[in-house]
């Protein structure tokens, strides 16, 4: 489904990419009036990158303060794209043998595990079972994302279990639970990937793909469709499901690479209330800080702005193996003095698992890894990758001591983070992840309570305000999902929902807020899907849709770019997906 920005006019003709120099604020407003899209602020020019109708370029150029409007040949968000290998890690990693070598690529999970100390933690014995090492065994990590495809490295027995598919793909049997977009699988690989040939104790063998917590279990809760389409109500439903069903697979960590430009305080926002409910239920919530960059103080996205959760920004290696030379990733949302990212983790040009033929894969062959004869690897940058690294680190700590509270996990990770020596920016929060140091403190038994005492979110604010002015739009009826209603058109009762979410009873079997979304319980290792009988917000029955003929592609994909966490910045927040729609081969 497409998305429509609040107040924008319908585009008049095809959108063309332009660079606007000067008067960034006025230019952004002008772009919206023209029905265009602001892709990225360009602070060095006091301008922006945008897409506008060709006929509107002269009007944009006439705005006071605008120095120039220059057509751009390709829509690329600076160097922050899939495959943004501007430090030539591919070439270095394949120079000696012609084959990609993980130990010569600063974006490989092999190097990231070594740099963050995870590799050291893997060598430690589980205090509860001397036959095991600390590799995340027994810890469930819920991943609310675009699904997970069981590619090699995520196909081991019990590695991925399918929770409910709450996405708009769920009604198509060939899309259900799977990752048609390519993002969720990339995250799952970073968190808990493990090649089948890896022997216990040899997780640091460079010839295999191994994530941060290679024996953790991924609980796949799909919310984003194959084109990234999703509504905030689906994400909230996913979080509530995780809380209600956390015991079934010992879900102790929730990875959420989703953010909105909510128009209300976290103290009211329902998405913030949902993550706080998970936090109070003993689940460590790890959230990507967002990728809008450091050009002036910008708030974190919702729910990263909620001070209870762990908001993760990215560090950038700049091509240097020496961590003393690393800096804050320029794409990381800087926040404000009141709320910054809590810590950083590697997020530059990270190599993880590829979904052949996925939305991102089809549009970005440059993200393939040179020298990877298997063709199974894919490279991307963003705070999503960084959040996945931290989620895996949290799983390692929770295997060491399952009694740790989320406050303690957050506290020990921040206490042991390493300050950047080459960058004194406050955007780094506590510094860069050091899970080795964190583990040593946990192992010592000297972990204070780290009790957080922020004001709690009531969740009684507006669901529509939580969307941040971006709405799913049904192309069959041109009806946007606005107002206090969910994807089924069911009225949002904030007070009743917030109470149920806090009580961890928002779900009853497969029913959420009185509507049947999915099956009633686990069956053959998965949460079954049911046909949606409640009409959509447009009043159109889901059963009348031609699901089998859905192509789930952008209207003009060849001119769109997507850097990894732009799935958060663009698709879920819709900054750069204004012209996308659900499409069938010919008609709806």
């Amino acid at each position: 489904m497409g998305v429509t920005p609040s107040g924008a006019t319908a585009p008049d003709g095809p959108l063309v990419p332009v660079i606007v120099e000067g008067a960034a604020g006025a230019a952004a407003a002008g772009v919206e009036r023209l029905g265009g899209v602001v892709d990225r602020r360009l602070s060095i020019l006091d301008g922006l990158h945008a897409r506008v109708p060709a006929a509107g370029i002269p009007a944009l150029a006439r705005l006071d303060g605008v120095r120039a409007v220059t057509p751009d040949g390709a829509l690329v968000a600076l160097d922050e794209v899939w495959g943004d290998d501007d430090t030539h890690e591919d070439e270095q990693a394949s120079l000696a043998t012609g084959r990609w070598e993980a130990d010569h690529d600063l974006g490989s999970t092999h190097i990231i595990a070594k740099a963050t100390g995870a590799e050291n933690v893997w060598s430690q014995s589980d205090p509860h079972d001397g036959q095991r090492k600390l590799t995340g065994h027994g810890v469930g990590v819920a991943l609310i994302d675009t699904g997970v495809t069981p590619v090699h490295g995520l196909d081991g027995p019990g590695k991925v279990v399918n929770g409910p598919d709450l996405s708009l793909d769920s009604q198509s049997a060939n899309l259900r639970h799977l990752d048609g977009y390519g993002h969720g699988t990339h995250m799952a690989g970073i968190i808990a990937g493990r090649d089948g040939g890896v022997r216990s104790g040899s997780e640091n063998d460079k010839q295999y793909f191994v994530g941060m917590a290679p024996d953790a279990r991924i609980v796949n809760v799909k919310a984003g469709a194959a084109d990234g389409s999703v509504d905030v109500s689906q994400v909230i439903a996913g979080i509530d499901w995780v809380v209600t069903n956390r015991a079934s697979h010992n879900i102790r960590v929730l990875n959420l690479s989703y953010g909105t430009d909510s128009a209300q305080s976290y103290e009211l926002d329902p998405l913030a209330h949902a993550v706080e409910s998970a936090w109070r239920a003993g689940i460590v919530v790890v959230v990507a800080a967002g990728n809008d960059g450091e050009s002036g103080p910008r708030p974190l996205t919702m729910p990263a702005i909620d001070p209870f959760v762990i908001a993760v920004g990215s560090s950038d290696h700049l091509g240097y193996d020496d961590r003393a030379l690393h800096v804050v990733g320029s794409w990381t949302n800087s926040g404000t003095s009141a709320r910054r990212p809590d810590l950083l983790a590697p997020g530059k040009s990270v190599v993880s698992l590829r979904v052949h033929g996925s939305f991102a894969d089809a549009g970005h062959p440059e993200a393939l890894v040179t020298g990877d004869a298997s063709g199974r690897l894919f490279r991307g940058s963003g705070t999503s990758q960084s959040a996945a690294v931290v989620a895996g680190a949290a799983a390692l700590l929770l295997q060491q001591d399952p009694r740790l509270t989320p406050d303690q996990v957050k506290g020990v990770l921040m206490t042991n983070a390493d300050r950047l020596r080459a960058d004194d920016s406050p955007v780094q929060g506590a510094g860069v992840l050091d899970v080795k140091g964190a583990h040593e403190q946990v192992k010592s038994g000297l972990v204070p309570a780290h009790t957080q005492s922020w004001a709690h979110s009531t969740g009684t604010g507006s669901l529509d305000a939580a969307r941040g002015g971006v709405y799913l739009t049904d192309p069959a009826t041109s009806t946007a999902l606005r107002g206090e209603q969910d994807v089924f058109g069911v009225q949002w009762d904030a007070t009743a929902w917030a109470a149920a979410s806090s009580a961890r009873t928002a779900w009853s079997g497969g029913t959420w807020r009185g509507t049947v979304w999915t099956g009633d319980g686990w069956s053959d290792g998965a949460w079954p899907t049911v046909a949606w009988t409640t009409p959509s917000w447009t009043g159109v029955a889901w059963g009348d849709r031609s699901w089998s003929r859905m192509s789930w592609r952008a209207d003009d994909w060849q001119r769109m770019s997507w850097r990894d966490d732009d799935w958060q910045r663009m698709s879920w927040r819709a900054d750069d997906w204004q012209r996308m729609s659900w499409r069938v081969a010919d008609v709806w």
Side-chain angles (χ1 to χ4, degrees):
M1 285 205 172
V3 286
T4 303
S6 179
T9 61
D12 182 15
L15 301 183
V16 296
V18 296
I19 294 175
V20 182
E21 298 181 36
V31 168
E32 184 173 0
R33 285 195 300 272
L34 292 167
V37 181
V38 174
D39 300 304
R40 186 173 179 84
R41 293 294 179 102
L42 303 174
S43 57
I44 194 171
L45 300 175
D46 181 31
L48 46 86
H49 194 295
R51 280 170 287 147
V52 296
I57 292 177
L60 195 60
R62 288 194 296 268
L63 290 175
D64 288 343
V66 171
R67 297 187 299 275
V69 179
T70 307
D72 191 19
L75 176 58
V76 178
L78 301 183
D79 63 342
E80 295 143 27
V81 296
W82 278 116
D84 58 334
D85 188 19
D86 55 10
T87 59
H88 308 291
E89 301 304 309
D90 271 0
E91 287 88 339
Q92 295 178 52
S94 58
L95 181 62
T97 65
R99 299 186 307 273
W100 181 77
E101 303 286 348
D103 59 339
H104 289 86
D105 191 318
L106 296 177
S108 72
T109 54
H110 176 82
I111 292 291
I112 290 172
K114 184 185 294 290
T116 59
E119 184 178 285
N120 179 274
V121 177
W122 297 341
S123 68
Q124 306 297 305
S125 295
D126 185 335
H128 312 286
D129 183 348
Q131 302 302 308
R132 296 188 185 280
K133 299 296 185 181
L134 291 179
T135 52
H137 179 82
V139 179
V141 181
L143 180 63
I144 299 179
D145 215 291
T146 55
V148 179
T149 296
V151 297
H152 181 46
L154 292 170
D155 55 353
K159 167 55 64 180
V160 178
V161 294
N162 289 321
D165 187 336
L166 307 177
S167 76
L168 300 166
D169 288 344
S170 66
Q171 301 303 289
S172 179
N174 64 325
L175 299 173
R176 202 167 290 153
H177 302 299
L178 300 178
D179 183 14
Y181 199 101
H183 186 276
T185 303
H186 207 256
M187 300 304 105
I190 296 168
I191 296 168
R194 184 187 183 100
D195 278 356
V198 180
R199 293 182 294 106
S200 179
S202 299
E203 288 80 9
N204 62 348
D205 189 332
K206 68 176 184 178
Q207 69 176 308
Y208 296 107
F209 181 87
V210 174
M212 287 289 290
D215 285 322
R217 171 173 288 169
I218 296 292
V219 181
N220 173 25
V221 181
K222 182 175 175 178
D227 66 352
S229 298
V230 72
D231 181 62
V232 70
S233 62
Q234 293 166 280
V235 178
I236 293 171
I239 298 169
D240 280 347
W241 182 91
V242 168
V243 172
T244 301
N245 295 278
R246 65 196 183 283
S248 59
H249 289 288
N250 191 34
I251 300 173
R252 297 299 311 278
V253 183
L254 169 59
N255 189 91
L256 188 62
S257 295
Y258 172 88
T260 74
D261 283 329
S262 177
Q264 61 201 337
S265 164
Y266 88 89
E267 293 180 40
L268 294 172
D269 195 273
L271 185 55
H273 183 78
V275 295
E276 287 184 24
S277 293
W279 195 266
R280 290 192 295 271
I283 300 170
V284 178
V285 182
V286 184
V287 183
N291 297 318
D292 295 320
E294 292 188 74
S295 302
R298 296 183 181 182
L300 305 181
T301 55
M302 186 70 72
I305 202 168
D306 188 304
F308 282 98
V309 302
I310 302 176
V312 185
S314 294
S315 62
D316 184 349
H317 55 67
L318 297 176
Y320 299 112
D321 184 51
D322 184 354
R323 291 187 70 177
L325 301 175
H326 296 183
V327 299
V328 176
S330 61
W331 55 90
T332 300
N333 274 37
S334 58
T336 67
S337 59
R339 173 66 170 148
R340 302 285 190 189
D342 292 303
L343 76 163
L344 307 178
K348 175 60 183 292
S349 202
V350 177
V351 176
S352 187
L353 300 174
R354 170 193 181 200
V355 180
H356 289 254
S358 65
F359 207 67
D361 182 54
H364 291 280
E366 71 275 12
L368 297 176
V369 176
T370 302
D372 168 32
S374 69
R376 59 190 292 244
L377 302 176
F378 208 62
R379 190 187 292 277
S381 298
T383 56
S384 275
Q385 277 85 357
S386 302
V389 170
V390 173
L396 298 178
L397 300 183
L398 288 163
Q399 183 186 354
Q400 169 69 41
D401 188 352
R403 299 169 301 175
L404 292 174
T405 67
D407 282 357
Q408 287 178 306
V409 172
K410 179 178 180 178
V412 78
L413 287 174
M414 293 181 66
T415 298
N416 290 280
D418 300 324
R419 298 290 297 179
L420 291 170
R421 284 189 255 170
D423 190 343
D424 61 0
S425 169
V427 179
Q428 69 183 287
V432 183
L433 173 70
D434 179 356
V435 69
K436 176 180 179 289
H439 169 258
E440 289 173 351
Q441 184 180 8
V442 173
K443 186 177 180 180
S444 75
L446 302 176
V447 180
H450 288 295
T451 303
Q452 300 187 97
S453 56
W454 310 104
H456 290 282
S457 172
T458 65
T460 56
S462 165
L463 182 67
D464 199 54
R467 294 183 175 113
V470 175
Y471 307 98
L472 290 177
T473 301
D474 187 336
T477 64
S478 297
T479 303
L481 174 49
R482 299 174 181 265
E484 304 305 307
Q485 59 176 331
D486 63 23
V487 294
F488 291 104
V490 176
Q491 190 68 22
W492 183 256
D493 184 336
T495 301
W497 166 78
S501 181
S502 293
R504 308 168 192 172
T505 58
W507 280 86
S508 176
T511 300
W512 187 66
R513 299 181 57 249
T515 301
V516 176
W517 285 57
T518 187
D520 286 334
W522 295 100
S523 176
D524 297 325
W527 200 273
T529 303
V530 299
W532 287 352
T533 57
T534 303
S536 73
W537 72 92
T538 67
V540 178
W542 298 100
D544 291 342
R545 315 282 176 155
S546 299
W547 295 98
S548 63
R549 297 167 59 218
M550 293 291 185
S551 61
W552 310 100
R553 62 183 178 86
D555 284 340
D556 199 6
W557 170 250
Q558 67 270 20
R559 286 178 40 242
M560 302 185 72
S561 73
W562 193 79
R563 67 182 163 102
D564 155 57
D565 201 65
D566 276 1
W567 173 82
Q568 169 184 323
R569 188 177 68 84
M570 299 190 308
S571 170
W572 291 50
R573 293 178 45 219
D575 292 346
D576 290 331
W577 290 79
Q578 313 297 354
R579 301 177 59 240
M580 294 190 62
S581 68
W582 286 10
R583 297 186 58 190
V584 296
D586 44 20
V587 295
W588 184 260

